[in-house]
Amino acid sequence: MMRKLLWLAVWMIPVLPGFSQSPPTPDQFLGYALGTQFTPWYKVLEYFRAVAAVTPNMQLKQYGTTYEGRPLMLATITSPENFNKLEQVRQHNLQLASGNGKAEAGDPVIVWLSYNVHGNEAVSTEAAMATVYRLADKNNSIEQQWLKNTVVIIDPCLNPDGRERYVNFFNQVHTKVTDPLLFAREHNEPWPGGRSNHYYFDLNRDWAWQTQVESLQRISQYNNWMPQVHVDFHEQSIDAPYYFAPAAEPFHDIIKPWQRNMQVLIGKNNARYFDKEGWLYFTREFFDMFYPSYGDTYPTYNGAIGMTYEQGGSGRAGLAALKQDGDTLTLVQRIAHHLTTGLSTIEVASQEADDLLNSFAGYFRDAVRTPDGPYRAYVIKGAGNTEKLATLGSLLGRNGIRYGYGAQVAKAAGFNYFTGKTENFTIDKEDMVISALQPRSNMLKVLFEPDSRLTDSITYDITAWSLPYAYGLQTYALKQPLEPLKDSVGLGNTYLAAERPYAYLARWNSAKDVKFLAALLQQKIRVRYAEGSFTAGGKTFSPGTLIITRAGNESIGAQFDNKVIALANTFKTGLDAVSTGFVEKGVDFGSEKVKFIRCPRVAVVMGDGISSLAAGEVWHFFEQQIGYPLTVVDEEQLGRINWKMLDVLILPDGNYKYLNDKENAGRLKDWISGGGKLIAMQDALAQVASLDWGIKLKKTDEEREEKKDEYTLLKPYANREREGAKQLIPGAIYKVQLDNTHPLAFGFPEVYYTLKQDSKIYDYLDEGGWNVGVLKKDNYLSGFVGTETRKRLKDGVLFGVKEIGQGQVILMADDPLFRSFWENGKLLFGNALFMVQ
C-alpha cells in the first residue's frame, strides 16, 4: 500500500531541479510532500505567487476578499501565444456570448476550474496546487500542447474562510501518527464545521443569487469571461467512489443535447484514466442538473459544460480514513483523483475546441433569435413596489439579464403568475419589462418559469424558485415579443420639506423599508405605525406605514429633519410629509391605535443540534442586510442569560436540548409571559409545539384514527426510493392566505408565497392566537410534492402569533429567510421583529 502511495505522489508531482528554469513543485516550495498535511490558505497563495513569478504565460489576480478579509484569487494560464493576446481572446469570447460573434478556427476554449467551494472538502485546494504545477511546467509537453487550444482559469479556493476553519481545526487536533479510525477526534469537526462560509452559507447554492460577498465577486469575474467548460470540485461521503459527469436525472429541459453529449465525452475520458489505474467511480446518480444556483447548473444555463466532480472523503476523512470495506482512503489518493479529472477535462476541451466554440456561439445566437419556451417577454408590475423592483433589477443585472421599464404599448395579454390565468392588463411606465430575445434568455426562462418540469422526482435540492413568487411581485408572461421603452426609472420620491412638517410617512412593503426602520431606531429616532389604513394629504396609506412624528423626537433638536431625510436618501426610501396629525380618514396620529415601535434587544441561538445554515441566515440578515445589532448565544449558555436584558429570542431550525428540560422550558415561558417575544422557526417551532403552550402540530385523518393497513408494509425493495418520494417535498411553492390586518402581515397583499420544505403544518390557533398565514385546500403552486405530503398540507397555519401573558410566540413553520434569496420573506421576518408587540 505504501509503495502504491509513493508512486502516486511521484506521478502527480515530478521533482524538477532549479526554481529559476521551472516552477517549484508543491513539495519543494511547501517543505513537505503534498498530501501529508493540509496547507493553510496563506501558503497556498504564496505557492501560486511563486509559480506565477517564473511562468510568463500565467496571470495571478486577486478578484476580491472574503468576509474575514482573506484574498480571493484567480490564476489564468495558457500558451505563450494565447497569453500575448489574452485580452483579445476574452473580448472575442464575450462577443460569442452576445449572440453576435462567430467562432474562428484556432480560437482557444476557456476552461474554468473551481476548487473548495465547501471549506471542509479541503482536498480540492491541494489538488489545485498540483494542477497549476502540471500546467506551468514547460517539461510537461502534453499539457503544453493542450494549452495551445485552451485558456485555463483556476480558482484555488472559493471559500477560504470555511477552509481555514476546517484546516485550523484539523491541524490543532490530529495525532502525530495519522489515526484512520472515524471515531477519533480529528475526524469529527465541532459545530458549525468548515463546509460553509463566515455566515454559514452554502456557497454552492448561491451562484445565481449571489447573496454572499464571495459569490458576488466571483460571478462578476465569471461573467467577464463566460467559459465554455466549468468544473466544480467537491467531496462526498468517505465510502463513496469518485463521481463525475454525465450527471443524473432530472436534467432541466433547457439543457441542450450538445451539452449532454459533451458531458458524456468528458466522462468517458475521465473513465479511461480511472480504468487504467483501477480506481472506482460512478456516473448518472444523485447529482442532478436542475436547481439553477449550483456550480454545475449555473454555468450550464449560461452556455457552458458545467460539471460537478465528487471525491470520497470530505471533512471526516482527514489525512487517512478507514472505510467500511477495510481499505484506507488517504489525502494523497484524493489529490490524485481530482488532479486526474481536472487534466482529463482540459484534454477533452482542447481536442474538441472547435466544436465547443461553435456550439457555444450557436447557443447564444439561438437565445437571441428563437429563445426556448412559450414566452417572449415578462412584465413585472411596479406600482407601490419600486424598492422590491429595484432589488430584483439588481439581481437580474448581476446575472447579465437585460431589462428596462415601460413599453410602446399600453395594454397586453399574458399569463398572470398570481391567478394562473391568461389575462389582459395595462403596462405602466414604472413596470419592469424584460424581453426574452436576449443572450441570457435561457437563464431568464429558468428563473421565471412558473412551474419547472421535472423528468425525475428524485432530486437533490429545491424544485421551485420562480422569482415572481420569491419577490412577491405581480408578473405577467407574454407570448408576444415586447421591448422596454427605457433603461431606468426613478426609485421614489425623497422629500425635503420647505416647512417643518408635523410628521414624515414612509410606506412599508419591502426589505429596504426594514433596513430604513432599523437605521432610524439606531439613530434613536422614535417611530410609530398605524394599525389600520388612513388617508393624509390626499393619499391613502396602508397599515404598517412608518409614522415619524416631530413629537417624541424633541431630544434630537434641529437635526431631526436632516437626519430623517438623510437616512431616506441613503436607503432610497420615499417620504411623504404632512403638516398635521389630523387625518382625513382613519385614526389620528395620537390615537392608541398608532403604536410605538420599540428598539428591541435581540438574540439568536446557535450551537450543536441547530442548523448552521438556518442560524447563519438570521446572522447575515441582521449584520449584512438591515444593519441591526444581534447577540449570538450558544445554546449551552442559555441558562446564564439575563432575561431582563433581552426583548426578542430567535430559535432557528434545529433541535434544542434546552427545551427538553422542563425547568428550562418553564423559565422561557415565564420570560415570554413577562413581555418577551420568541420567534420559533421550522423544527424549533415543532419542538415548542410539544410543550403544551397552545400550539399543536396538525395530524392527518389517518393519524388521528390510528388506522394501519398491514399490507402497506409489503413493498418491493427496488422501489424504496420511489416509495420514499411519496413523503418528499424538497422545496415547493405554496400560496398562503394572509390576514394582512395583523402586524405580522403588514405590507403584504392577501397572499404570500412560501417555499415549503417539509410536511409540517399546525392546527389553527384558538384563544390568544392569531392565524396570520394559513394553507387552505388546493394551495399548492409549483415544485415536486409527494402524494402523501400533498394530502397533509391543507387547512392549517404556517405563520401566526400565540399570545402568552404579555408576550408572544411567533410561529414560522417555513423559513422566510431561505438562502437569503427569498426576498419577500425578509419583510415577514421584519414584521415579526419590529411590528408584532
Side-chain angles (χ1 to χ4, degrees):
M1 180 66 181
M2 183 57 67
R3 183 176 298 174
K4 176 72 171 178
L5 296 182
L6 290 174
W7 180 87
L8 284 173
V10 171
W11 174 77
M12 290 191 306
I13 312 294
V15 177
L16 299 171
F19 283 17
S20 58
Q21 290 79 26
S22 299
T25 69
D27 294 16
Q28 291 172 328
F29 184 85
L30 299 173
Y32 53 83
L34 200 63
T36 59
Q37 67 183 72
F38 287 106
T39 308
W41 180 231
Y42 80 91
K43 281 191 176 181
V44 175
L45 293 177
E46 288 176 354
Y47 177 69
F48 269 79
R49 291 179 182 125
V51 173
V54 295
T55 307
N57 54 312
M58 175 180 168
Q59 178 188 87
L60 191 62
K61 172 185 178 181
Q62 179 173 345
Y63 68 86
T65 56
T66 69
Y67 284 114
E68 296 177 13
R70 294 184 175 88
L72 295 164
M73 306 293 286
L74 284 180
T76 305
I77 187 166
T78 185
S79 67
E81 297 81 8
N82 291 330
F83 192 83
N84 290 335
K85 56 177 183 178
L86 193 60
E87 180 59 18
Q88 180 183 335
V89 169
R90 188 184 71 83
Q91 291 290 350
H92 179 62
N93 196 65
L94 291 180
Q95 188 70 18
L96 298 183
S98 74
N100 297 317
K102 182 179 179 182
E104 299 175 4
D107 285 347
V109 66
I110 297 168
V111 180
W112 189 302
L113 306 179
S114 291
Y115 296 88
N116 231 148
V117 68
H118 292 145
N120 59 2
E121 298 175 7
V123 63
S124 298
T125 295
E126 310 292 333
M129 289 189 285
T131 303
V132 76
Y133 172 75
R134 286 288 292 266
L135 296 174
D137 182 11
K138 299 298 185 294
N139 293 294
N140 293 328
S141 58
I142 295 176
E143 284 85 342
Q144 297 306 304
Q145 191 67 32
W146 296 342
L147 290 178
K148 292 181 179 180
N149 300 323
T150 60
V151 173
V152 180
I153 300 174
I154 294 175
D155 190 331
C157 187
L158 280 64
N159 183 11
D161 290 352
R163 187 176 193 275
E164 286 299 275
R165 192 184 307 132
Y166 172 75
V167 171
N168 287 337
F169 152 76
F170 186 86
N171 287 343
Q172 289 173 12
V173 305
H174 76 88
T175 53
K176 185 175 182 180
V177 176
T178 300
D179 190 339
L181 299 177
L182 294 183
F183 54 77
R185 181 171 63 159
E186 63 197 65
H187 296 291
N188 295 278
E189 295 176 83
W191 193 94
R195 178 182 176 89
S196 52
N197 76 339
H198 172 79
Y199 282 107
Y200 308 156
F201 272 68
D202 186 334
L203 296 179
N204 192 40
R205 271 78 173 169
D206 196 44
W207 280 73
W209 322 128
Q210 299 142 48
T211 69
Q212 301 301 290
V213 68
E214 296 92 346
S215 308
L216 186 65
Q217 295 168 116
R218 183 180 70 255
I219 298 302
S220 175
Q221 294 300 313
Y222 185 95
N223 285 326
N224 279 334
W225 277 99
M226 292 295 288
Q228 283 76 41
V229 178
H230 179 266
V231 180
D232 200 20
F233 290 89
H234 286 262
E235 291 186 78
Q236 53 186 323
S237 64
I238 289 171
D239 292 290
Y242 198 97
Y243 164 83
F244 47 74
E249 294 287 351
F251 271 67
H252 195 286
D253 55 14
I254 202 73
I255 298 173
K256 311 303 178 187
W258 68 269
Q259 291 175 305
R260 285 176 173 253
N261 294 338
M262 191 59 68
Q263 275 201 359
V264 172
L265 194 62
I266 293 171
K268 286 183 176 179
N269 201 54
N270 291 341
R272 180 168 65 88
Y273 285 104
F274 273 57
D275 290 343
K276 181 178 178 182
E277 300 299 332
W279 296 335
L280 292 175
Y281 58 91
F282 67 98
T283 64
R284 300 183 178 91
E285 296 180 60
F286 305 133
F287 304 106
D288 59 68
M289 300 286 289
F290 197 65
Y291 172 67
S293 204
Y294 282 137
D296 54 6
T297 51
Y298 184 86
T300 300
Y301 299 157
N302 282 291
I305 311 302
M307 296 171 292
T308 291
Y309 292 168
E310 295 266 358
Q311 164 62 47
S314 198
R316 294 201 68 198
L319 298 179
L322 185 63
K323 298 166 59 179
Q324 290 183 3
D325 62 9
D327 198 3
T328 299
L329 176 68
T330 69
L331 182 58
V332 169
Q333 291 171 318
R334 291 151 64 196
I335 295 171
H337 298 162
H338 269 341
L339 172 63
T340 299
T341 54
L343 294 178
S344 167
T345 301
I346 297 169
E347 178 183 23
V348 176
S350 174
Q351 294 168 349
E352 302 295 326
D354 288 344
D355 285 347
L356 270 169
L357 289 167
N358 283 320
S359 296
F360 181 81
Y363 180 93
F364 291 100
R365 280 198 305 272
D366 292 344
V368 171
R369 299 171 186 173
T370 56
D372 273 4
Y375 302 124
R376 292 295 177 266
Y378 303 87
V379 175
I380 302 97
K381 300 297 292 181
N385 287 300
T386 54
E387 291 159 354
K388 277 197 288 190
L389 211 57
T391 303
L392 174 61
S394 178
L395 173 66
L396 296 176
R398 295 196 303 268
N399 285 294
I401 296 172
R402 302 169 186 165
Y403 63 93
Y405 297 88
Q408 294 284 2
V409 297
K411 295 182 179 180
F415 172 83
N416 184 334
Y417 281 70
F418 286 7
T419 66
K421 299 176 182 178
T422 298
E423 300 171 356
N424 295 320
F425 67 99
T426 59
I427 303 174
D428 300 313
K429 63 181 181 180
E430 68 268 25
D431 294 343
M432 179 181 286
V433 174
I434 311 172
S435 171
L437 302 172
Q438 62 169 298
R440 303 294 181 94
S441 68
N442 289 315
M443 191 67 190
L444 172 65
K445 176 185 182 295
V446 171
L447 294 180
F448 273 78
E449 55 194 351
D451 193 11
S452 304
R453 187 178 68 86
L454 274 166
T455 58
D456 194 317
S457 60
I458 307 299
T459 183
Y460 197 59
D461 210 290
I462 64 172
T463 56
W465 50 78
S466 185
L467 292 182
Y469 303 126
Y471 279 71
L473 287 167
Q474 179 74 43
T475 300
Y476 294 88
L478 285 66
K479 291 187 176 181
Q480 67 269 29
L482 186 69
E483 293 291 335
L485 186 63
K486 53 186 178 180
D487 293 335
S488 61
V489 69
L491 295 178
N493 58 314
T494 53
Y495 184 91
L496 181 59
E499 301 176 358
R500 285 171 29 113
Y502 181 87
Y504 294 98
L505 308 178
R507 299 181 188 272
W508 181 261
N509 62 7
S510 76
K512 283 189 176 180
D513 300 326
V514 180
K515 189 171 186 175
F516 176 54
L517 172 60
L520 288 169
L521 296 178
Q522 289 183 87
Q523 290 283 333
K524 301 190 184 307
I525 297 173
R526 297 167 72 87
V527 184
R528 293 171 170 80
Y529 70 82
E531 287 187 326
S533 61
F534 63 92
T535 301
K539 296 182 180 180
T540 299
F541 296 88
S542 300
T545 297
L546 302 182
I547 302 170
I548 312 163
T549 59
R550 192 172 302 278
N553 285 303
E554 293 87 353
S555 62
I556 300 174
Q559 291 301 309
F560 171 72
D561 299 275
N562 290 338
K563 283 190 173 185
V564 173
I565 292 169
L567 289 173
N569 286 328
T570 298
F571 300 113
K572 295 182 171 60
T573 299
L575 287 180
D576 286 278
V578 292
S579 58
T580 176
F582 187 89
V583 302
E584 294 141 42
K585 187 177 180 180
V587 297
D588 298 326
F589 296 162
S591 168
E592 64 177 9
K593 294 183 179 179
V594 174
K595 303 294 185 181
F596 171 68
I597 300 175
R598 291 190 298 170
C599 185
R601 295 164 297 187
V602 187
V604 64
V605 184
M606 299 188 186
D608 286 341
I610 299 166
S611 167
S612 59
L613 300 176
E617 289 164 359
V618 175
W619 187 15
H620 184 266
F621 176 76
F622 277 84
E623 290 195 351
Q624 296 296 325
Q625 294 181 58
I626 67 170
Y628 193 83
L630 176 72
T631 298
V632 177
V633 180
D634 192 287
E635 193 200 6
E636 293 182 356
Q637 301 300 316
L638 278 177
R640 301 181 182 181
I641 279 185
N642 181 349
W643 293 102
K644 294 179 180 179
M645 300 296 294
L646 194 61
D647 301 306
V648 180
L649 182 67
I650 303 168
L651 301 182
D653 182 31
N655 185 276
Y656 292 78
K657 291 180 288 186
Y658 185 85
L659 294 180
N660 291 332
D661 183 278
K662 188 174 181 180
E663 290 186 8
N664 288 338
R667 293 188 189 98
L668 180 60
K669 188 176 183 181
D670 289 342
W671 170 74
I672 298 170
S673 297
K677 187 192 307 181
L678 180 71
I679 302 176
M681 306 172 71
Q682 298 175 278
D683 281 351
L685 175 59
Q687 200 171 358
V688 169
S690 69
L691 298 176
D692 195 25
W693 289 2
I695 303 168
K696 296 180 181 179
L697 267 170
K698 182 179 176 63
K699 294 183 178 180
T700 63
D701 293 338
E702 291 80 3
E703 288 170 329
R704 288 192 184 97
E705 296 173 11
E706 296 184 352
K707 291 182 178 179
K708 182 182 289 185
D709 180 357
E710 295 297 334
Y711 288 107
T712 61
L713 300 176
L714 305 180
K715 301 172 184 176
Y717 178 74
N719 292 347
R720 62 195 183 279
E721 287 187 347
R722 300 295 162 194
E723 287 294 323
K726 293 180 181 179
Q727 311 292 334
L728 192 65
I729 178 168
I733 298 174
Y734 272 77
K735 182 190 297 184
V736 179
Q737 266 72 40
L738 288 181
D739 172 10
N740 60 5
T741 67
H742 191 281
L744 185 58
F746 280 171
F748 287 94
E750 294 180 350
V751 170
Y752 169 77
Y753 297 93
T754 189
L755 186 69
K756 200 90 186 75
Q757 294 179 271
D758 60 36
S759 62
K760 293 183 179 68
I761 187 170
Y762 293 82
D763 285 336
Y764 294 128
L765 300 170
D766 53 18
E767 288 187 33
W770 300 100
N771 300 293
V772 181
V774 302
L775 286 187
K776 297 181 179 178
K777 293 182 175 66
D778 302 322
N779 272 25
Y780 163 80
L781 200 61
S782 69
F784 177 77
V785 184
T787 55
E788 296 300 324
T789 294
R790 189 175 292 197
K791 291 177 184 177
R792 172 188 287 271
L793 289 175
K794 61 181 181 180
D795 297 326
V797 61
L798 296 179
F799 303 100
V801 177
K802 176 64 178 177
E803 295 176 353
I804 299 177
Q806 298 179 49
Q808 307 92 15
V809 177
I810 312 293
L811 286 72
M812 290 195 163
D814 297 337
D815 182 3
L817 302 179
F818 181 73
R819 294 180 186 168
S820 196
F821 89 88
W822 206 259
E823 187 69 21
N824 215 24
K826 297 172 186 176
L827 178 63
L828 190 71
F829 196 86
N831 283 338
L833 185 63
F834 294 115
M835 296 294 183
V836 177
Q837 50 184 285

